[in-house]
Amino acid sequence: MSKKAILIICDGMGDRPVKEYDYKTPLEAANTPNLDKLAEKGLVGLMDPISPGIRPGSDVAHLAILGYNPYECYAGRGSLEAAGAGIQLKPGDIAFRANFATVNEDLTIVDRRAGRIKTGIKELAEAINQIKIESVNGVSVEFYPTIEHRGVLIFRGEKLSKNVSDTDPHEIGVKPLKSKPLDDSIEAERMAKALNEFTEKSFHVLKNHQINLNRVKMGEKPANIILARGAGSYFKLKTFQEKYGIKTAAIAAVALVKGVCRIAGMEIIDVKGATGGLNTNFNGKADEAAKAIKHYDFVFLHVKATDVAGHDGNFKAKVEAIENIDKMIGRLIDQLDLNETYVTITADHCTPINFKDHSGDPTPILIHGPETFHSEIKKFCEKTASQGNLCRIKGIDIMAILTNYMGISEKFGY
Ligand code: ZN
Ligand code: ZN
């Protein structure tokens, strides 16, 4: 009979030895009785999300870990964000991540997040959606607000390409950038032109909008331009159902990760109070995962808090995030039948606190299940993982290993 599996990704959890903390990593310094218990009775090793030394974004790392070769299928971040927001792209669509921002009269950016605007967003979006693209034939544009200042911008029409640069300069005190084609194609030229026209028009439509006039009166920053980044095009993946014939669910708060899971055909389970931040609802995630594995063959569970602490360069916050994850895992395994369920825990990449970004180091991984060998490792961390019984694998290997243990993989050859 086939077994079930839960795959837990602690975003950016891996780290490097930190001199100020006696050369310990946050995972090493954290008190993690539940991780340690699973590690001792399971397979432990190192995992290169892509391959040694390659620094991955969370998008490509998740694709690889879920068994998709990102070099073949990755089509830009915008399309994953769109999927995460529940927007169905059509072939030919180009999607961007978009922000409401604040510019002054000469278009200098004052705030890339428009004071983290929370109200009036629907009205502003309606105004933006009146914009017609005139400089490029047969192209329309749609704006979907998501959370606060964030949204997704979609260009529809024929002959468009994702190979264009961002209008978001990612800094303040400068003007929005002109989008440029990144290759010689007519499609890239059309896309850049349409985006530039849209950006200009967004300012004209928004600057005198009543919501913004009111915001200025109240001393708040007006949301008077849309900045776009991370172009992505429509793409399709073979779903888990198609690949392995299994029913899958995902628990994730971050739009990008939700997007990858949705395109992989997973049911998205929303957890109340799951924020994608340090203060997420860890208990709620554990309980929902425990409930989900009763109805699904495979459950994917994502926690962002460790990556947030890594980007902040905050050792103590990362230790605390790991300890919260450990408690979450304890609560989860208390509700599982470990004779029927494989539990895998790893990170999508390292976000070392001294580097404050994703590095190309391998991350520790553990796989615990009814038929795994026991590593006898007492403490789960980067150092012990390098001596573990799983040795060193790549992200793309994980699903093959799990489906093999689950008893649902196909034989290669006769
Ligand atoms: Zn990540
Ligand atoms: Zn990150």
Side-chain angles (χ1 to χ4, degrees), residues 214-234:
N214 293 347
R215 284 180 71 80
V216 172
K217 225 184 278 167
M218 303 290 286
E220 287 169 339
K221 289 174 184 150
N224 57 10
I225 202 161
I226 300 284
L227 301 177
R229 62 203 154 105
S233 58
Y234 166 87

Side-chain angles (χ1 to χ4, degrees), residues 11 58 304 307 311 349 351 358:
D11 205 306
S58 291
K304 178 76 175 164
D307 187 54
H311 284 288
H349 50 75
T351 309
H358 307 176

